[in-house]
Amino acid sequence: MSTLVLELRQGDLMVVNGAPIRFRNRTRIELAAKARFLFGKQIMAPEGANTPARRIYFALQTAYIGTEEEREPGLAAARTLIEEFKEATTSVLVREMLARALEAAEEDDCYLALKIARRVMRHEEEVLGLAPLSAPRREAPEGAHG
C-alpha cells in the first residue's frame, strides 16, 4: 500500500472526502488510504469563481471533493461550463485542454482535471490581465469544500 506524506502549516486548510480541516499547528500527516483531497492553493472559495475558467475549476472541484450529493451536480455544471467555454474561445489548445479535463473528470480522475483546469485559468489570467487567485488559508469560507 502506498502512502502520501504532507506537511501543512498552521492555519492551512485541507479538504478530505468533502470535510474541511483547518490545521491549528504545523503538522505532518500521512494519508494511508485513497482519499479525495485538496489543500492550500488548490482550494478555490466560491467567491473566487468569478471568470469562466474559474467557474469551470470550481465545478470540477465540487465534483472531486464535494459531498456525495454535490459531486454529480458539480460534474454536470462542469460539462455545461466547459462546452460554453469551448464555443467562446478561439484557442485550439484551450479547447483541447478542456476536452481532456472533462474526459479525466468523467473517468473519475478529477485531480488531473483540476490540474488541467489550472492551466486554463493561467491562460485566461494572462489573456484578460487578471491577478492569480490567492488560496483560502486563515479563515475557511463557507462552502469552501465545494
Side-chain angles (χ1 to χ4, degrees), residues 17-141:
N17 293 338
I21 302 166
R22 170 111 19 237
F23 291 86
R24 291 184 171 217
N25 52 28
R26 185 178 180 97
T27 189
R28 186 174 186 166
I29 64 168
E30 180 177 315
L31 292 176
K34 184 176 179 174
R36 295 173 175 270
F37 73 95
L38 292 177
F39 62 95
K41 294 181 199 178
Q42 300 170 331
I43 301 169
M44 179 184 289
E47 60 271 12
N50 56 9
T51 69
R54 291 173 182 176
R55 283 189 283 279
I56 290 169
Y57 185 92
F58 189 76
L60 289 169
Q61 172 182 285
T62 302
Y64 181 48
I65 60 168
T67 64
E68 284 296 319
E69 299 79 30
E70 295 169 328
R71 286 179 32 214
E72 184 53 44
L75 184 56
R79 283 185 197 108
T80 300
L81 293 166
I82 286 171
E83 287 310 311
E84 290 171 358
F85 197 109
K86 284 170 58 179
E87 288 176 18
T89 188
T90 59
S91 172
V92 173
L93 179 59
V94 168
R95 279 191 212 109
E96 290 171 356
M97 286 191 300
L98 289 170
R100 179 62 190 119
L102 182 57
E103 179 182 315
E106 290 183 341
E107 292 172 355
D108 200 27
D109 191 353
C110 287
Y111 192 84
L112 174 60
L114 288 168
K115 185 176 177 181
I116 296 166
R118 280 191 295 276
R119 290 178 55 203
V120 174
M121 283 176 25
R122 284 193 300 273
H123 171 79
E124 180 185 63
E125 290 163 358
E126 289 175 18
V127 169
L128 299 178
L130 301 173
L133 283 178
S134 59
R137 198 171 168 264
R138 295 285 174 214
E139 294 181 8

